[in-house]
Amino acid sequence: MLHYAPGWDTGTKPYPVILVHGAGSDANFFADPKRDGSITGLMQYLSQRGYKVFAVTFAHPHGDNYIQREILADVIQKVKAVTGASKVDIIAHSKGNMSARMYVSNVKESWGVDFGKDVRRYIQLGAPNGGIDFTFRNPNMAWGIMTTGGFGPVPYTYMLIYGLWYNTTYHSIYTEGGAYPGQLQMLARWDSVYPLNTTQQDWYTTYYGGWGFASYSYGINYAIKEGGNLVNTLQNSPVDPSVEIAVLAEDYNYINGVPWETTGPSDGLVFVKSATDTSAMTKSGAKLLAKDVYHLNHLELAYDKSAMDWIDAQLSK
Protein backbone atom coordinates (compact mmCIF):
# COMPACT_ATOMS: atom_id res chain seq x y z
CA MET A 1 0.00 0.00 0.00
CA LEU A 2 1.37 3.41 -1.01
CA HIS A 3 0.42 6.39 1.17
CA TYR A 4 0.44 9.97 -0.12
CA ALA A 5 1.18 12.50 2.62
CA PRO A 6 -0.51 15.91 2.63
CA GLY A 7 1.36 18.25 0.29
CA TRP A 8 2.83 15.51 -1.85
CA ASP A 9 1.72 17.39 -4.97
CA THR A 10 2.65 20.90 -3.79
CA GLY A 11 6.00 20.36 -2.09
CA THR A 12 8.86 22.46 -3.41
CA LYS A 13 11.76 20.10 -2.68
CA PRO A 14 13.04 18.42 -5.84
CA TYR A 15 13.37 14.87 -4.54
CA PRO A 16 10.37 12.94 -3.20
CA VAL A 17 10.87 11.09 0.09
CA ILE A 18 9.70 7.53 0.71
CA LEU A 19 9.30 6.34 4.31
CA VAL A 20 9.77 2.61 4.97
CA HIS A 21 8.52 1.16 8.26
CA GLY A 22 9.99 -1.60 10.40
CA ALA A 23 8.78 -4.94 11.75
CA GLY A 24 5.34 -5.28 13.25
CA SER A 25 4.38 -1.84 12.02
CA ASP A 26 2.96 0.11 9.08
CA ALA A 27 3.13 3.60 7.59
CA ASN A 28 1.21 5.03 10.56
CA PHE A 29 4.46 4.69 12.51
CA PHE A 30 5.56 7.90 10.77
CA ALA A 31 2.23 9.75 10.97
CA ASP A 32 0.81 8.71 14.34
CA PRO A 33 3.81 7.29 16.25
CA LYS A 34 2.00 6.60 19.52
CA ARG A 35 -1.14 5.27 17.80
CA ASP A 36 -3.39 7.52 19.84
CA GLY A 37 -3.41 10.79 17.89
CA SER A 38 -1.45 12.53 20.63
CA ILE A 39 1.49 13.55 18.45
CA THR A 40 2.37 13.86 14.80
CA GLY A 41 5.49 12.36 13.37
CA LEU A 42 8.14 12.47 10.69
CA MET A 43 5.63 12.39 7.84
CA GLN A 44 4.00 15.67 8.83
CA TYR A 45 7.32 17.21 9.88
CA LEU A 46 8.82 16.71 6.43
CA SER A 47 5.62 17.68 4.59
CA GLN A 48 5.50 20.98 6.44
CA ARG A 49 9.03 21.69 5.25
CA GLY A 50 8.20 21.32 1.59
CA TYR A 51 9.08 17.68 0.99
CA LYS A 52 6.90 15.48 -1.21
CA VAL A 53 6.40 12.62 1.21
CA PHE A 54 5.17 9.10 0.57
CA ALA A 55 5.14 5.98 2.72
CA VAL A 56 4.76 2.27 2.13
CA THR A 57 2.81 -0.25 4.20
CA PHE A 58 3.92 -3.81 3.60
CA ALA A 59 1.16 -6.42 3.57
CA HIS A 60 3.10 -8.62 6.01
CA PRO A 61 4.58 -6.78 9.02
CA HIS A 62 7.28 -9.45 9.41
CA GLY A 63 7.46 -10.41 5.75
CA ASP A 64 10.15 -11.84 3.52
CA ASN A 65 12.67 -9.12 2.76
CA TYR A 66 13.23 -10.26 -0.83
CA ILE A 67 9.53 -9.76 -1.54
CA GLN A 68 9.44 -6.45 0.30
CA ARG A 69 12.42 -5.30 -1.75
CA GLU A 70 10.37 -5.79 -4.92
CA ILE A 71 7.42 -3.96 -3.38
CA LEU A 72 9.71 -1.05 -2.55
CA ALA A 73 11.09 -1.10 -6.12
CA ASP A 74 7.49 -0.82 -7.42
CA VAL A 75 6.77 2.02 -4.98
CA ILE A 76 9.80 3.92 -6.23
CA GLN A 77 8.59 3.58 -9.82
CA LYS A 78 5.13 4.82 -8.89
CA VAL A 79 6.46 7.81 -6.94
CA LYS A 80 8.71 8.77 -9.83
CA ALA A 81 5.76 8.55 -12.20
CA VAL A 82 3.41 10.75 -10.17
CA THR A 83 6.04 13.37 -9.31
CA GLY A 84 8.11 13.40 -12.48
CA ALA A 85 11.31 12.99 -10.44
CA SER A 86 14.19 10.91 -11.72
CA LYS A 87 15.37 9.94 -8.23
CA VAL A 88 13.92 9.59 -4.75
CA ASP A 89 15.24 9.73 -1.19
CA ILE A 90 14.55 6.77 1.10
CA ILE A 91 14.24 6.91 4.89
CA ALA A 92 13.98 3.44 6.41
CA HIS A 93 13.45 2.40 10.01
CA SER A 94 14.63 -0.86 11.58
CA LYS A 95 13.64 -3.90 9.47
CA GLY A 96 12.63 -1.55 6.65
CA ASN A 97 16.33 -1.12 6.06
CA MET A 98 16.60 -4.69 4.89
CA SER A 99 14.46 -4.10 1.79
CA ALA A 100 15.96 -0.64 1.21
CA ARG A 101 19.53 -1.84 1.59
CA MET A 102 18.86 -4.83 -0.65
CA TYR A 103 17.50 -2.55 -3.37
CA VAL A 104 20.40 -0.09 -3.42
CA SER A 105 22.91 -2.98 -3.19
CA ASN A 106 21.12 -4.96 -5.92
CA VAL A 107 20.63 -8.00 -3.68
CA LYS A 108 17.64 -9.84 -5.13
CA GLU A 109 16.16 -13.11 -6.23
CA SER A 110 16.74 -14.17 -9.83
CA TRP A 111 13.29 -12.84 -10.71
CA GLY A 112 13.87 -9.48 -9.00
CA VAL A 113 14.31 -6.16 -10.78
CA ASP A 114 17.73 -4.54 -10.96
CA PHE A 115 18.55 -1.41 -9.00
CA GLY A 116 17.51 1.46 -11.26
CA LYS A 117 20.04 4.01 -9.96
CA ASP A 118 17.02 6.04 -8.90
CA VAL A 119 17.83 6.61 -5.23
CA ARG A 120 19.71 9.80 -4.45
CA ARG A 121 19.99 9.46 -0.66
CA TYR A 122 19.36 6.59 1.67
CA ILE A 123 18.87 7.45 5.35
CA GLN A 124 19.02 4.65 7.90
CA LEU A 125 17.27 4.81 11.28
CA GLY A 126 18.10 2.02 13.72
CA ALA A 127 19.22 -0.32 10.94
CA PRO A 128 20.28 -3.91 11.73
CA ASN A 129 23.31 -3.64 9.44
CA GLY A 130 25.26 -6.25 11.37
CA GLY A 131 22.17 -8.30 12.11
CA ILE A 132 20.37 -8.98 15.38
CA ASP A 133 20.11 -11.92 17.78
CA PHE A 134 17.51 -10.41 20.11
CA THR A 135 15.04 -13.31 19.89
CA PHE A 136 17.67 -15.84 20.97
CA ARG A 137 19.59 -13.57 23.34
CA ASN A 138 16.53 -12.55 25.36
CA PRO A 139 14.56 -15.76 26.02
CA ASN A 140 12.55 -14.21 28.86
CA MET A 141 10.82 -12.09 26.22
CA ALA A 142 9.33 -15.28 24.72
CA TRP A 143 7.38 -16.02 27.90
CA GLY A 144 6.11 -12.45 27.91
CA ILE A 145 4.89 -12.84 24.34
CA MET A 146 3.18 -16.17 24.89
CA THR A 147 1.54 -15.38 28.23
CA THR A 148 0.18 -11.98 27.20
CA GLY A 149 -0.83 -12.73 23.63
CA GLY A 150 1.79 -10.34 22.34
CA PHE A 151 3.32 -10.19 18.88
CA GLY A 152 6.83 -11.21 17.93
CA PRO A 153 8.75 -14.40 17.20
CA VAL A 154 9.79 -16.87 19.90
CA PRO A 155 12.84 -19.15 19.59
CA TYR A 156 10.98 -22.25 20.78
CA THR A 157 8.86 -25.04 19.33
CA TYR A 158 7.92 -26.28 22.82
CA MET A 159 7.44 -24.24 25.98
CA LEU A 160 6.40 -24.91 29.56
CA ILE A 161 3.71 -22.31 30.29
CA TYR A 162 1.87 -22.18 33.60
CA GLY A 163 3.00 -25.75 34.34
CA LEU A 164 1.87 -27.27 31.04
CA TRP A 165 3.88 -28.08 27.91
CA TYR A 166 2.67 -26.37 24.73
CA ASN A 167 3.66 -26.79 21.11
CA THR A 168 4.52 -23.21 20.15
CA THR A 169 5.80 -23.90 16.65
CA TYR A 170 3.10 -21.65 15.19
CA HIS A 171 4.62 -18.69 17.04
CA SER A 172 8.25 -19.63 16.43
CA ILE A 173 10.77 -17.79 14.29
CA TYR A 174 11.50 -20.92 12.24
CA THR A 175 10.09 -21.72 8.80
CA GLU A 176 7.93 -24.40 10.43
CA GLY A 177 6.00 -21.58 12.06
CA GLY A 178 6.01 -19.49 8.92
CA ALA A 179 4.83 -16.23 10.45
CA TYR A 180 8.19 -14.45 10.65
CA PRO A 181 10.25 -15.03 7.48
CA GLY A 182 11.73 -11.53 7.56
CA GLN A 183 12.93 -12.01 11.13
CA LEU A 184 14.88 -15.11 10.14
CA GLN A 185 16.67 -13.09 7.48
CA MET A 186 17.89 -10.46 9.97
CA LEU A 187 19.68 -12.88 12.28
CA ALA A 188 23.39 -12.83 13.05
CA ARG A 189 25.37 -14.02 16.06
CA TRP A 190 26.67 -11.46 18.54
CA ASP A 191 27.68 -13.79 21.37
CA SER A 192 31.39 -13.33 20.59
CA VAL A 193 30.98 -9.56 21.02
CA TYR A 194 28.57 -9.37 23.96
CA PRO A 195 28.30 -12.32 26.40
CA LEU A 196 24.85 -13.79 26.90
CA ASN A 197 22.80 -13.00 29.99
CA THR A 198 23.14 -16.14 32.10
CA THR A 199 20.31 -15.09 34.42
CA GLN A 200 17.67 -15.58 31.75
CA GLN A 201 15.60 -18.78 31.59
CA ASP A 202 17.25 -21.49 29.45
CA TRP A 203 19.78 -18.99 28.13
CA TYR A 204 22.25 -21.59 26.84
CA THR A 205 19.88 -24.00 25.11
CA THR A 206 17.89 -21.12 23.65
CA TYR A 207 20.92 -19.69 21.85
CA TYR A 208 22.80 -22.86 20.98
CA GLY A 209 19.90 -25.30 20.67
CA GLY A 210 18.44 -28.18 22.67
CA TRP A 211 16.10 -28.92 25.55
CA GLY A 212 16.17 -26.53 28.47
CA PHE A 213 14.28 -26.74 31.72
CA ALA A 214 11.20 -25.15 30.18
CA SER A 215 11.73 -24.99 26.42
CA TYR A 216 13.10 -26.49 23.24
CA SER A 217 15.05 -24.42 20.71
CA TYR A 218 16.72 -25.31 17.43
CA GLY A 219 19.31 -22.62 18.16
CA ILE A 220 20.40 -19.51 16.33
CA ASN A 221 22.72 -21.26 13.84
CA TYR A 222 19.82 -23.34 12.56
CA ALA A 223 17.66 -20.22 12.24
CA ILE A 224 20.36 -18.23 10.44
CA LYS A 225 20.70 -21.04 7.90
CA GLU A 226 16.94 -21.16 7.41
CA GLY A 227 16.98 -17.42 6.74
CA GLY A 228 19.61 -17.81 4.05
CA ASN A 229 22.20 -15.84 6.05
CA LEU A 230 21.02 -12.65 4.35
CA VAL A 231 23.02 -10.41 6.69
CA ASN A 232 26.22 -12.06 5.46
CA THR A 233 25.11 -11.55 1.86
CA LEU A 234 24.56 -7.86 2.51
CA GLN A 235 27.94 -7.59 4.22
CA ASN A 236 29.43 -8.68 0.90
CA SER A 237 27.22 -6.46 -1.27
CA PRO A 238 28.21 -2.76 -1.27
CA VAL A 239 25.71 0.00 -1.90
CA ASP A 240 25.76 1.35 -5.44
CA PRO A 241 28.30 4.21 -5.67
CA SER A 242 25.61 6.57 -7.00
CA VAL A 243 23.85 6.54 -3.61
CA GLU A 244 24.64 8.81 -0.65
CA ILE A 245 24.09 7.36 2.83
CA ALA A 246 23.36 8.78 6.28
CA VAL A 247 23.11 6.63 9.41
CA LEU A 248 21.44 7.39 12.74
CA ALA A 249 21.69 4.93 15.63
CA GLU A 250 20.38 5.15 19.20
CA ASP A 251 21.79 4.04 22.55
CA TYR A 252 18.88 4.31 25.00
CA ASN A 253 17.55 0.83 25.70
CA TYR A 254 14.42 1.70 27.68
CA ILE A 255 11.24 1.19 25.66
CA ASN A 256 8.00 2.15 27.39
CA GLY A 257 10.00 2.49 30.60
CA VAL A 258 11.42 -1.04 30.49
CA PRO A 259 15.03 -1.99 29.66
CA TRP A 260 14.98 -4.42 26.73
CA GLU A 261 18.41 -5.34 25.34
CA THR A 262 20.80 -5.05 28.29
CA THR A 263 23.93 -7.00 27.32
CA GLY A 264 25.48 -4.27 25.18
CA PRO A 265 24.89 -0.67 24.08
CA SER A 266 21.65 -0.70 22.12
CA ASP A 267 18.41 1.11 21.38
CA GLY A 268 16.52 -1.67 23.12
CA LEU A 269 16.50 -3.93 20.07
CA VAL A 270 19.52 -3.27 17.84
CA PHE A 271 23.08 -3.04 19.11
CA VAL A 272 24.77 0.28 18.37
CA LYS A 273 27.65 -1.61 16.77
CA SER A 274 25.23 -3.27 14.39
CA ALA A 275 23.44 -0.06 13.45
CA THR A 276 26.72 1.80 12.85
CA ASP A 277 28.38 -0.99 10.86
CA THR A 278 28.73 0.87 7.57
CA SER A 279 32.05 -0.40 6.18
CA ALA A 280 30.41 -2.93 3.86
CA MET A 281 28.08 -0.34 2.36
CA THR A 282 30.80 2.03 1.21
CA LYS A 283 33.26 -0.46 -0.31
CA SER A 284 32.34 0.45 -3.89
CA GLY A 285 32.38 4.21 -3.37
CA ALA A 286 28.97 5.09 -1.95
CA LYS A 287 29.43 8.30 0.03
CA LEU A 288 28.71 8.31 3.76
CA LEU A 289 27.32 11.75 4.58
CA ALA A 290 26.89 11.26 8.32
CA LYS A 291 26.93 8.62 11.04
CA ASP A 292 25.65 9.65 14.46
CA VAL A 293 24.37 8.12 17.68
CA TYR A 294 21.60 9.82 19.66
CA HIS A 295 20.42 9.03 23.18
CA LEU A 296 17.04 7.70 22.04
CA ASN A 297 15.30 4.34 21.98
CA HIS A 298 14.32 2.34 18.92
CA LEU A 299 10.87 3.90 18.55
CA GLU A 300 11.58 7.57 19.24
CA LEU A 301 13.09 8.29 15.83
CA ALA A 302 9.60 8.71 14.39
CA TYR A 303 8.81 11.78 16.48
CA ASP A 304 11.81 13.06 18.45
CA LYS A 305 12.54 16.64 17.40
CA SER A 306 16.33 16.24 17.46
CA ALA A 307 16.13 13.14 15.27
CA MET A 308 13.76 14.80 12.80
CA ASP A 309 16.01 17.87 12.59
CA TRP A 310 18.94 15.55 11.87
CA ILE A 311 16.98 13.85 9.09
CA ASP A 312 16.05 17.21 7.55
CA ALA A 313 19.72 18.21 7.64
CA GLN A 314 20.76 15.05 5.78
CA LEU A 315 18.11 15.53 3.11
CA SER A 316 19.09 19.17 2.66
CA LYS A 317 22.83 18.67 2.16
Side-chain angles (χ1 to χ4, degrees):
M1 183 181 293
L2 176 61
H3 304 260
Y4 294 62
W8 72 269
D9 54 348
T10 58
T12 57
K13 304 287 187 180
Y15 296 98
V17 176
I18 300 174
L19 306 175
V20 188
H21 68 82
S25 191
D26 54 36
N28 282 324
F29 174 76
F30 299 106
D32 181 15
K34 294 192 174 181
R35 309 289 175 149
D36 59 6
S38 62
I39 58 172
T40 56
L42 181 61
M43 180 182 288
Q44 295 93 329
Y45 173 93
L46 293 177
S47 294
Q48 290 167 3
R49 282 156 180 78
Y51 293 96
K52 304 166 188 173
V53 183
F54 301 81
V56 61
T57 288
F58 293 121
H60 189 332
H62 297 277
D64 183 288
N65 293 298
Y66 284 95
I67 293 174
Q68 292 185 348
R69 177 207 188 266
E70 301 309 311
I71 294 170
L72 178 58
D74 288 345
V75 165
I76 291 170
Q77 297 311 308
K78 179 64 175 179
V79 169
K80 286 164 51 183
V82 299
T83 62
S86 60
K87 290 190 175 187
V88 303
D89 292 335
I90 294 177
I91 302 172
H93 176 251
S94 193
K95 180 183 178 293
N97 283 283
M98 297 296 288
S99 55
R101 170 86 183 278
M102 291 167 73
Y103 181 65
V104 297
S105 296
N106 210 35
V107 173
K108 60 186 179 66
E109 296 282 17
S110 59
W111 43 264
V113 300
D114 287 330
F115 173 55
K117 296 187 183 294
D118 46 12
V119 175
R120 181 188 70 128
R121 288 193 181 146
Y122 167 34
I123 297 177
Q124 295 189 331
L125 307 176
N129 288 318
I132 60 173
D133 60 1
F134 184 88
T135 297
F136 290 88
R137 177 177 289 270
N138 294 278
N140 286 355
M141 192 68 71
W143 274 273
I145 290 171
M146 296 306 300
T147 58
T148 64
F151 296 100
V154 301
Y156 305 125
T157 54
Y158 290 92
M159 294 177 66
L160 186 63
I161 303 174
Y162 296 135
L164 297 174
W165 282 97
Y166 288 87
N167 185 326
T168 55
T169 300
Y170 74 99
H171 219 313
S172 73
I173 196 171
Y174 311 109
T175 55
E176 277 183 84
Y180 301 99
Q183 295 284 350
L184 274 174
Q185 295 165 337
M186 291 195 292
L187 291 173
R189 286 179 60 164
W190 281 85
D191 53 321
S192 63
V193 180
Y194 300 115
L196 303 178
N197 183 352
T198 60
T199 67
Q200 295 220 14
Q201 175 72 54
D202 292 351
W203 65 273
Y204 187 91
T205 52
T206 301
Y207 205 90
Y208 301 110
W211 283 100
F213 292 105
S215 63
Y216 180 76
S217 167
Y218 290 136
I220 192 170
N221 283 345
Y222 179 93
I224 289 172
K225 185 177 180 180
E226 281 203 315
N229 205 352
L230 179 55
V231 171
N232 183 67
T233 298
L234 286 171
Q235 293 283 30
N236 290 283
S237 304
V239 170
D240 190 274
S242 65
V243 180
E244 297 176 329
I245 309 163
V247 174
L248 183 60
E250 314 83 53
D251 66 357
Y252 184 64
N253 68 332
Y254 279 72
I255 299 178
N256 296 327
V258 179
W260 284 28
E261 180 55 70
T262 60
T263 53
S266 78
D267 59 13
L269 287 170
V270 180
F271 287 125
V272 174
K273 281 190 175 182
S274 178
T276 57
D277 184 3
T278 59
S279 58
M281 290 192 286
T282 58
K283 285 181 180 177
S284 286
K287 184 178 180 181
L288 182 63
L289 298 175
K291 180 165 64 175
D292 293 297
V293 179
Y294 280 18
H295 192 51
L296 302 169
N297 71 39
H298 194 70
L299 303 179
E300 291 174 331
L301 295 171
Y303 60 88
D304 181 84
K305 180 63 163 52
S306 63
M308 294 192 294
D309 286 345
W310 181 93
I311 292 167
D312 184 20
Q314 309 316 312
L315 291 173
S316 300
K317 286 182 177 178

